[in-house]
Amino acid sequence: MITEITTYSDACLDAINRLLPQLSSSGRQMTNDQLLSMIANNDTHLFVAEANGTMLGMLSLCTYATPTGRKWWVEDVVVDQQARGQHIGRSLVEHAIQYARTHGGGTIMLTSRPQRVAANQLYQSLGMQQKPTNVYQTQ
């Protein structure tokens, strides 16, 4: 079942912090304040996949308005290693796409490292197209 996290709980924070190292070895643990801030932000949506009371995956969907239209970014897609291959990632991304379409539409974007072959195949199978662009970041 896919749901949006709208209220804080220690159990939710613990589950997120269990998943984050599976997303990135450089990721930091989320704090209580960070989760509370995310939940309070109307432009950020934290969706989780759960079964039998256990969080199996999550993603963030963020939105903002620009002169060229509404943009949505899918971020931090992660499925627990023990639950991979069960279409949880697909369900999460499909849910995010549907949410964006029913809440103002616009362009839905994400990035994924080339070495994440399964993830890239998933995004392409959902009709997402790879763009020839450079992504820059600051620290």
PDB file of all heavy atoms in Angstrom, residues 6-40:
ATOM      1  N   THR A   6       2.091  12.128   6.564  1.00  0.00           N
ATOM      2  CA  THR A   6       1.588  13.464   6.899  1.00  0.00           C
ATOM      3  C   THR A   6       1.700  13.765   8.383  1.00  0.00           C
ATOM      4  O   THR A   6       1.434  14.892   8.792  1.00  0.00           O
ATOM      5  CB  THR A   6       0.120  13.618   6.453  1.00  0.00           C
ATOM      6  OG1 THR A   6      -0.659  12.599   7.095  1.00  0.00           O
ATOM      7  CG2 THR A   6      -0.015  13.517   4.938  1.00  0.00           C
ATOM      8  N   THR A   7       2.058  12.780   9.175  1.00  0.00           N
ATOM      9  CA  THR A   7       2.245  12.998  10.607  1.00  0.00           C
ATOM     10  C   THR A   7       3.547  12.333  11.040  1.00  0.00           C
ATOM     11  O   THR A   7       3.954  11.301  10.491  1.00  0.00           O
ATOM     12  CB  THR A   7       1.084  12.430  11.445  1.00  0.00           C
ATOM     13  OG1 THR A   7       0.953  11.032  11.179  1.00  0.00           O
ATOM     14  CG2 THR A   7      -0.223  13.131  11.126  1.00  0.00           C
ATOM     15  N   TYR A   8       4.170  12.913  12.035  1.00  0.00           N
ATOM     16  CA  TYR A   8       5.446  12.410  12.535  1.00  0.00           C
ATOM     17  C   TYR A   8       5.246  11.205  13.450  1.00  0.00           C
ATOM     18  O   TYR A   8       4.314  11.157  14.238  1.00  0.00           O
ATOM     19  CB  TYR A   8       6.186  13.505  13.320  1.00  0.00           C
ATOM     20  CG  TYR A   8       7.463  12.983  13.917  1.00  0.00           C
ATOM     21  CD1 TYR A   8       8.635  13.023  13.191  1.00  0.00           C
ATOM     22  CD2 TYR A   8       7.485  12.421  15.185  1.00  0.00           C
ATOM     23  CE1 TYR A   8       9.814  12.516  13.711  1.00  0.00           C
ATOM     24  CE2 TYR A   8       8.652  11.904  15.725  1.00  0.00           C
ATOM     25  CZ  TYR A   8       9.814  11.960  14.985  1.00  0.00           C
ATOM     26  OH  TYR A   8      10.975  11.441  15.500  1.00  0.00           O
ATOM     27  N   SER A   9       6.171  10.252  13.324  1.00  0.00           N
ATOM     28  CA  SER A   9       6.268   9.174  14.312  1.00  0.00           C
ATOM     29  C   SER A   9       7.725   8.721  14.364  1.00  0.00           C
ATOM     30  O   SER A   9       8.442   8.765  13.360  1.00  0.00           O
ATOM     31  CB  SER A   9       5.361   7.990  13.975  1.00  0.00           C
ATOM     32  OG  SER A   9       5.909   7.214  12.932  1.00  0.00           O
ATOM     33  N   ASP A  10       8.148   8.294  15.543  1.00  0.00           N
ATOM     34  CA  ASP A  10       9.503   7.768  15.684  1.00  0.00           C
ATOM     35  C   ASP A  10       9.696   6.532  14.810  1.00  0.00           C
ATOM     36  O   ASP A  10      10.773   6.333  14.245  1.00  0.00           O
ATOM     37  CB  ASP A  10       9.797   7.421  17.145  1.00  0.00           C
ATOM     38  CG  ASP A  10       9.989   8.654  18.023  1.00  0.00           C
ATOM     39  OD1 ASP A  10      10.355   9.727  17.492  1.00  0.00           O
ATOM     40  OD2 ASP A  10       9.773   8.527  19.252  1.00  0.00           O
ATOM     41  N   ALA A  11       8.663   5.714  14.694  1.00  0.00           N
ATOM     42  CA  ALA A  11       8.749   4.497  13.875  1.00  0.00           C
ATOM     43  C   ALA A  11       8.996   4.847  12.414  1.00  0.00           C
ATOM     44  O   ALA A  11       9.788   4.181  11.736  1.00  0.00           O
ATOM     45  CB  ALA A  11       7.477   3.669  14.024  1.00  0.00           C
ATOM     46  N   CYS A  12       8.337   5.878  11.934  1.00  0.00           N
ATOM     47  CA  CYS A  12       8.530   6.315  10.555  1.00  0.00           C
ATOM     48  C   CYS A  12       9.964   6.809  10.364  1.00  0.00           C
ATOM     49  O   CYS A  12      10.639   6.446   9.394  1.00  0.00           O
ATOM     50  CB  CYS A  12       7.532   7.403  10.194  1.00  0.00           C
ATOM     51  SG  CYS A  12       7.724   8.031   8.516  1.00  0.00           S
ATOM     52  N   LEU A  13      10.441   7.622  11.277  1.00  0.00           N
ATOM     53  CA  LEU A  13      11.809   8.132  11.194  1.00  0.00           C
ATOM     54  C   LEU A  13      12.809   6.984  11.215  1.00  0.00           C
ATOM     55  O   LEU A  13      13.760   6.962  10.426  1.00  0.00           O
ATOM     56  CB  LEU A  13      12.089   9.110  12.335  1.00  0.00           C
ATOM     57  CG  LEU A  13      13.491   9.722  12.343  1.00  0.00           C
ATOM     58  CD1 LEU A  13      13.734  10.561  11.088  1.00  0.00           C
ATOM     59  CD2 LEU A  13      13.689  10.567  13.604  1.00  0.00           C
ATOM     60  N   ASP A  14      12.594   6.007  12.074  1.00  0.00           N
ATOM     61  CA  ASP A  14      13.484   4.847  12.132  1.00  0.00           C
ATOM     62  C   ASP A  14      13.487   4.084  10.814  1.00  0.00           C
ATOM     63  O   ASP A  14      14.541   3.653  10.329  1.00  0.00           O
ATOM     64  CB  ASP A  14      13.076   3.911  13.270  1.00  0.00           C
ATOM     65  CG  ASP A  14      13.343   4.501  14.655  1.00  0.00           C
ATOM     66  OD1 ASP A  14      14.098   5.498  14.751  1.00  0.00           O
ATOM     67  OD2 ASP A  14      12.768   3.964  15.626  1.00  0.00           O
ATOM     68  N   ALA A  15      12.313   3.914  10.215  1.00  0.00           N
ATOM     69  CA  ALA A  15      12.220   3.185   8.943  1.00  0.00           C
ATOM     70  C   ALA A  15      12.926   3.955   7.825  1.00  0.00           C
ATOM     71  O   ALA A  15      13.623   3.354   6.995  1.00  0.00           O
ATOM     72  CB  ALA A  15      10.753   2.935   8.590  1.00  0.00           C
ATOM     73  N   ILE A  16      12.749   5.261   7.792  1.00  0.00           N
ATOM     74  CA  ILE A  16      13.436   6.077   6.791  1.00  0.00           C
ATOM     75  C   ILE A  16      14.943   5.938   6.964  1.00  0.00           C
ATOM     76  O   ILE A  16      15.678   5.728   5.983  1.00  0.00           O
ATOM     77  CB  ILE A  16      13.006   7.557   6.909  1.00  0.00           C
ATOM     78  CG1 ILE A  16      11.554   7.718   6.452  1.00  0.00           C
ATOM     79  CG2 ILE A  16      13.943   8.465   6.110  1.00  0.00           C
ATOM     80  CD1 ILE A  16      10.943   9.061   6.783  1.00  0.00           C
ATOM     81  N   ASN A  17      15.407   6.012   8.177  1.00  0.00           N
ATOM     82  CA  ASN A  17      16.845   5.908   8.437  1.00  0.00           C
ATOM     83  C   ASN A  17      17.387   4.513   8.177  1.00  0.00           C
ATOM     84  O   ASN A  17      18.584   4.342   7.953  1.00  0.00           O
ATOM     85  CB  ASN A  17      17.168   6.403   9.840  1.00  0.00           C
ATOM     86  CG  ASN A  17      17.128   7.911   9.921  1.00  0.00           C
ATOM     87  OD1 ASN A  17      17.430   8.599   8.944  1.00  0.00           O
ATOM     88  ND2 ASN A  17      16.751   8.439  11.066  1.00  0.00           N
ATOM     89  N   ARG A  18      16.526   3.516   8.163  1.00  0.00           N
ATOM     90  CA  ARG A  18      16.938   2.157   7.772  1.00  0.00           C
ATOM     91  C   ARG A  18      17.100   2.071   6.249  1.00  0.00           C
ATOM     92  O   ARG A  18      17.972   1.377   5.748  1.00  0.00           O
ATOM     93  CB  ARG A  18      15.889   1.149   8.259  1.00  0.00           C
ATOM     94  CG  ARG A  18      16.200  -0.301   7.898  1.00  0.00           C
ATOM     95  CD  ARG A  18      15.133  -1.258   8.405  1.00  0.00           C
ATOM     96  NE  ARG A  18      13.765  -0.887   8.092  1.00  0.00           N
ATOM     97  CZ  ARG A  18      13.166  -1.062   6.903  1.00  0.00           C
ATOM     98  NH1 ARG A  18      13.832  -1.594   5.900  1.00  0.00           N
ATOM     99  NH2 ARG A  18      11.915  -0.702   6.714  1.00  0.00           N
ATOM    100  N   LEU A  19      16.267   2.820   5.517  1.00  0.00           N
ATOM    101  CA  LEU A  19      16.319   2.783   4.053  1.00  0.00           C
ATOM    102  C   LEU A  19      17.410   3.677   3.466  1.00  0.00           C
ATOM    103  O   LEU A  19      17.972   3.351   2.415  1.00  0.00           O
ATOM    104  CB  LEU A  19      14.966   3.199   3.472  1.00  0.00           C
ATOM    105  CG  LEU A  19      13.815   2.213   3.651  1.00  0.00           C
ATOM    106  CD1 LEU A  19      12.501   2.843   3.204  1.00  0.00           C
ATOM    107  CD2 LEU A  19      14.089   0.924   2.899  1.00  0.00           C
ATOM    108  N   LEU A  20      17.688   4.808   4.097  1.00  0.00           N
ATOM    109  CA  LEU A  20      18.619   5.776   3.512  1.00  0.00           C
ATOM    110  C   LEU A  20      19.995   5.201   3.155  1.00  0.00           C
ATOM    111  O   LEU A  20      20.513   5.502   2.079  1.00  0.00           O
ATOM    112  CB  LEU A  20      18.759   7.001   4.417  1.00  0.00           C
ATOM    113  CG  LEU A  20      17.578   7.969   4.373  1.00  0.00           C
ATOM    114  CD1 LEU A  20      17.753   9.074   5.410  1.00  0.00           C
ATOM    115  CD2 LEU A  20      17.398   8.550   2.989  1.00  0.00           C
ATOM    116  N   PRO A  21      20.621   4.371   3.995  1.00  0.00           N
ATOM    117  CA  PRO A  21      21.921   3.817   3.598  1.00  0.00           C
ATOM    118  C   PRO A  21      21.837   2.905   2.365  1.00  0.00           C
ATOM    119  O   PRO A  21      22.835   2.705   1.674  1.00  0.00           O
ATOM    120  CB  PRO A  21      22.365   3.014   4.826  1.00  0.00           C
ATOM    121  CG  PRO A  21      21.571   3.552   5.957  1.00  0.00           C
ATOM    122  CD  PRO A  21      20.276   4.017   5.374  1.00  0.00           C
ATOM    123  N   GLN A  22      20.657   2.378   2.081  1.00  0.00           N
ATOM    124  CA  GLN A  22      20.485   1.547   0.897  1.00  0.00           C
ATOM    125  C   GLN A  22      20.347   2.398  -0.359  1.00  0.00           C
ATOM    126  O   GLN A  22      20.509   1.909  -1.472  1.00  0.00           O
ATOM    127  CB  GLN A  22      19.263   0.650   1.050  1.00  0.00           C
ATOM    128  CG  GLN A  22      19.393  -0.323   2.211  1.00  0.00           C
ATOM    129  CD  GLN A  22      18.161  -1.174   2.376  1.00  0.00           C
ATOM    130  OE1 GLN A  22      17.727  -1.825   1.432  1.00  0.00           O
ATOM    131  NE2 GLN A  22      17.597  -1.172   3.571  1.00  0.00           N
ATOM    132  N   LEU A  23      20.067   3.686  -0.178  1.00  0.00           N
ATOM    133  CA  LEU A  23      19.964   4.629  -1.287  1.00  0.00           C
ATOM    134  C   LEU A  23      21.334   5.150  -1.663  1.00  0.00           C
ATOM    135  O   LEU A  23      21.677   5.224  -2.841  1.00  0.00           O
ATOM    136  CB  LEU A  23      19.041   5.788  -0.894  1.00  0.00           C
ATOM    137  CG  LEU A  23      18.909   6.935  -1.892  1.00  0.00           C
ATOM    138  CD1 LEU A  23      18.233   6.441  -3.161  1.00  0.00           C
ATOM    139  CD2 LEU A  23      18.122   8.078  -1.271  1.00  0.00           C
ATOM    140  N   SER A  24      22.113   5.521  -0.659  1.00  0.00           N
ATOM    141  CA  SER A  24      23.407   6.139  -0.920  1.00  0.00           C
ATOM    142  C   SER A  24      24.324   5.919   0.270  1.00  0.00           C
ATOM    143  O   SER A  24      23.923   6.144   1.418  1.00  0.00           O
ATOM    144  CB  SER A  24      23.228   7.636  -1.165  1.00  0.00           C
ATOM    145  OG  SER A  24      24.471   8.289  -1.202  1.00  0.00           O
ATOM    146  N   SER A  25      25.546   5.539  -0.016  1.00  0.00           N
ATOM    147  CA  SER A  25      26.514   5.350   1.069  1.00  0.00           C
ATOM    148  C   SER A  25      26.941   6.684   1.667  1.00  0.00           C
ATOM    149  O   SER A  25      27.466   6.734   2.774  1.00  0.00           O
ATOM    150  CB  SER A  25      27.732   4.592   0.561  1.00  0.00           C
ATOM    151  OG  SER A  25      28.352   5.318  -0.492  1.00  0.00           O
ATOM    152  N   SER A  26      26.710   7.776   0.938  1.00  0.00           N
ATOM    153  CA  SER A  26      27.088   9.091   1.449  1.00  0.00           C
ATOM    154  C   SER A  26      25.931   9.801   2.150  1.00  0.00           C
ATOM    155  O   SER A  26      26.099  10.912   2.639  1.00  0.00           O
ATOM    156  CB  SER A  26      27.606   9.974   0.304  1.00  0.00           C
ATOM    157  OG  SER A  26      26.574  10.203  -0.638  1.00  0.00           O
ATOM    158  N   GLY A  27      24.770   9.162   2.198  1.00  0.00           N
ATOM    159  CA  GLY A  27      23.609   9.776   2.826  1.00  0.00           C
ATOM    160  C   GLY A  27      23.755   9.875   4.329  1.00  0.00           C
ATOM    161  O   GLY A  27      24.415   9.059   4.962  1.00  0.00           O
ATOM    162  N   ARG A  28      23.153  10.904   4.891  1.00  0.00           N
ATOM    163  CA  ARG A  28      23.148  11.091   6.342  1.00  0.00           C
ATOM    164  C   ARG A  28      21.798  10.656   6.894  1.00  0.00           C
ATOM    165  O   ARG A  28      20.807  10.623   6.181  1.00  0.00           O
ATOM    166  CB  ARG A  28      23.386  12.557   6.671  1.00  0.00           C
ATOM    167  CG  ARG A  28      24.810  12.982   6.381  1.00  0.00           C
ATOM    168  CD  ARG A  28      25.026  14.449   6.718  1.00  0.00           C
ATOM    169  NE  ARG A  28      25.416  15.089   5.464  1.00  0.00           N
ATOM    170  CZ  ARG A  28      24.780  16.106   4.913  1.00  0.00           C
ATOM    171  NH1 ARG A  28      23.741  16.642   5.489  1.00  0.00           N
ATOM    172  NH2 ARG A  28      25.191  16.612   3.776  1.00  0.00           N
ATOM    173  N   GLN A  29      21.788  10.361   8.163  1.00  0.00           N
ATOM    174  CA  GLN A  29      20.546  10.011   8.829  1.00  0.00           C
ATOM    175  C   GLN A  29      19.652  11.248   8.922  1.00  0.00           C
ATOM    176  O   GLN A  29      20.137  12.357   9.136  1.00  0.00           O
ATOM    177  CB  GLN A  29      20.823   9.463  10.231  1.00  0.00           C
ATOM    178  CG  GLN A  29      21.602   8.156  10.225  1.00  0.00           C
ATOM    179  CD  GLN A  29      20.761   7.006   9.736  1.00  0.00           C
ATOM    180  OE1 GLN A  29      19.896   6.517  10.457  1.00  0.00           O
ATOM    181  NE2 GLN A  29      21.000   6.539   8.523  1.00  0.00           N
ATOM    182  N   MET A  30      18.367  11.040   8.738  1.00  0.00           N
ATOM    183  CA  MET A  30      17.410  12.135   8.845  1.00  0.00           C
ATOM    184  C   MET A  30      17.130  12.379  10.322  1.00  0.00           C
ATOM    185  O   MET A  30      17.046  11.442  11.117  1.00  0.00           O
ATOM    186  CB  MET A  30      16.124  11.748   8.109  1.00  0.00           C
ATOM    187  CG  MET A  30      15.080  12.824   8.078  1.00  0.00           C
ATOM    188  SD  MET A  30      13.668  12.336   7.055  1.00  0.00           S
ATOM    189  CE  MET A  30      13.691  13.691   5.899  1.00  0.00           C
ATOM    190  N   THR A  31      16.973  13.649  10.679  1.00  0.00           N
ATOM    191  CA  THR A  31      16.674  14.008  12.068  1.00  0.00           C
ATOM    192  C   THR A  31      15.166  14.211  12.242  1.00  0.00           C
ATOM    193  O   THR A  31      14.431  14.356  11.267  1.00  0.00           O
ATOM    194  CB  THR A  31      17.393  15.308  12.473  1.00  0.00           C
ATOM    195  OG1 THR A  31      16.834  16.389  11.716  1.00  0.00           O
ATOM    196  CG2 THR A  31      18.892  15.215  12.240  1.00  0.00           C
ATOM    197  N   ASN A  32      14.747  14.272  13.499  1.00  0.00           N
ATOM    198  CA  ASN A  32      13.341  14.563  13.812  1.00  0.00           C
ATOM    199  C   ASN A  32      12.914  15.865  13.158  1.00  0.00           C
ATOM    200  O   ASN A  32      11.851  15.944  12.536  1.00  0.00           O
ATOM    201  CB  ASN A  32      13.138  14.697  15.327  1.00  0.00           C
ATOM    202  CG  ASN A  32      13.474  13.467  16.095  1.00  0.00           C
ATOM    203  OD1 ASN A  32      14.364  12.704  15.731  1.00  0.00           O
ATOM    204  ND2 ASN A  32      12.788  13.255  17.179  1.00  0.00           N
ATOM    205  N   ASP A  33      13.745  16.904  13.318  1.00  0.00           N
ATOM    206  CA  ASP A  33      13.407  18.213  12.766  1.00  0.00           C
ATOM    207  C   ASP A  33      13.299  18.187  11.245  1.00  0.00           C
ATOM    208  O   ASP A  33      12.433  18.847  10.679  1.00  0.00           O
ATOM    209  CB  ASP A  33      14.430  19.262  13.204  1.00  0.00           C
ATOM    210  CG  ASP A  33      14.315  19.613  14.681  1.00  0.00           C
ATOM    211  OD1 ASP A  33      13.258  19.318  15.288  1.00  0.00           O
ATOM    212  OD2 ASP A  33      15.280  20.180  15.229  1.00  0.00           O
ATOM    213  N   GLN A  34      14.166  17.448  10.587  1.00  0.00           N
ATOM    214  CA  GLN A  34      14.104  17.371   9.127  1.00  0.00           C
ATOM    215  C   GLN A  34      12.813  16.698   8.667  1.00  0.00           C
ATOM    216  O   GLN A  34      12.187  17.154   7.716  1.00  0.00           O
ATOM    217  CB  GLN A  34      15.318  16.616   8.575  1.00  0.00           C
ATOM    218  CG  GLN A  34      16.602  17.393   8.680  1.00  0.00           C
ATOM    219  CD  GLN A  34      17.808  16.542   8.356  1.00  0.00           C
ATOM    220  OE1 GLN A  34      17.884  15.366   8.710  1.00  0.00           O
ATOM    221  NE2 GLN A  34      18.778  17.148   7.679  1.00  0.00           N
ATOM    222  N   LEU A  35      12.432  15.629   9.340  1.00  0.00           N
ATOM    223  CA  LEU A  35      11.192  14.956   8.960  1.00  0.00           C
ATOM    224  C   LEU A  35       9.988  15.850   9.245  1.00  0.00           C
ATOM    225  O   LEU A  35       9.086  15.963   8.406  1.00  0.00           O
ATOM    226  CB  LEU A  35      11.046  13.618   9.684  1.00  0.00           C
ATOM    227  CG  LEU A  35       9.787  12.814   9.350  1.00  0.00           C
ATOM    228  CD1 LEU A  35       9.633  12.578   7.848  1.00  0.00           C
ATOM    229  CD2 LEU A  35       9.787  11.487  10.103  1.00  0.00           C
ATOM    230  N   LEU A  36       9.976  16.504  10.376  1.00  0.00           N
ATOM    231  CA  LEU A  36       8.877  17.419  10.684  1.00  0.00           C
ATOM    232  C   LEU A  36       8.787  18.549   9.658  1.00  0.00           C
ATOM    233  O   LEU A  36       7.692  18.909   9.209  1.00  0.00           O
ATOM    234  CB  LEU A  36       9.050  18.001  12.090  1.00  0.00           C
ATOM    235  CG  LEU A  36       8.737  17.050  13.230  1.00  0.00           C
ATOM    236  CD1 LEU A  36       9.293  17.589  14.547  1.00  0.00           C
ATOM    237  CD2 LEU A  36       7.246  16.796  13.322  1.00  0.00           C
ATOM    238  N   SER A  37       9.917  19.080   9.246  1.00  0.00           N
ATOM    239  CA  SER A  37       9.950  20.142   8.246  1.00  0.00           C
ATOM    240  C   SER A  37       9.431  19.643   6.903  1.00  0.00           C
ATOM    241  O   SER A  37       8.668  20.340   6.220  1.00  0.00           O
ATOM    242  CB  SER A  37      11.381  20.672   8.105  1.00  0.00           C
ATOM    243  OG  SER A  37      11.451  21.641   7.094  1.00  0.00           O
ATOM    244  N   MET A  38       9.827  18.448   6.520  1.00  0.00           N
ATOM    245  CA  MET A  38       9.374  17.872   5.254  1.00  0.00           C
ATOM    246  C   MET A  38       7.853  17.670   5.269  1.00  0.00           C
ATOM    247  O   MET A  38       7.163  18.018   4.308  1.00  0.00           O
ATOM    248  CB  MET A  38      10.066  16.540   4.985  1.00  0.00           C
ATOM    249  CG  MET A  38       9.639  15.892   3.682  1.00  0.00           C
ATOM    250  SD  MET A  38      10.420  14.303   3.393  1.00  0.00           S
ATOM    251  CE  MET A  38      12.033  14.860   2.895  1.00  0.00           C
ATOM    252  N   ILE A  39       7.342  17.145   6.351  1.00  0.00           N
ATOM    253  CA  ILE A  39       5.908  16.908   6.463  1.00  0.00           C
ATOM    254  C   ILE A  39       5.128  18.222   6.406  1.00  0.00           C
ATOM    255  O   ILE A  39       4.058  18.300   5.806  1.00  0.00           O
ATOM    256  CB  ILE A  39       5.589  16.141   7.772  1.00  0.00           C
ATOM    257  CG1 ILE A  39       6.140  14.714   7.686  1.00  0.00           C
ATOM    258  CG2 ILE A  39       4.097  16.132   8.051  1.00  0.00           C
ATOM    259  CD1 ILE A  39       6.142  13.980   9.015  1.00  0.00           C
ATOM    260  N   ALA A  40       5.685  19.280   6.988  1.00  0.00           N
ATOM    261  CA  ALA A  40       5.010  20.580   7.035  1.00  0.00           C
ATOM    262  C   ALA A  40       5.062  21.323   5.700  1.00  0.00           C
ATOM    263  O   ALA A  40       4.267  22.230   5.469  1.00  0.00           O
ATOM    264  CB  ALA A  40       5.631  21.445   8.123  1.00  0.00           C
TER     265      ALA A  40
END
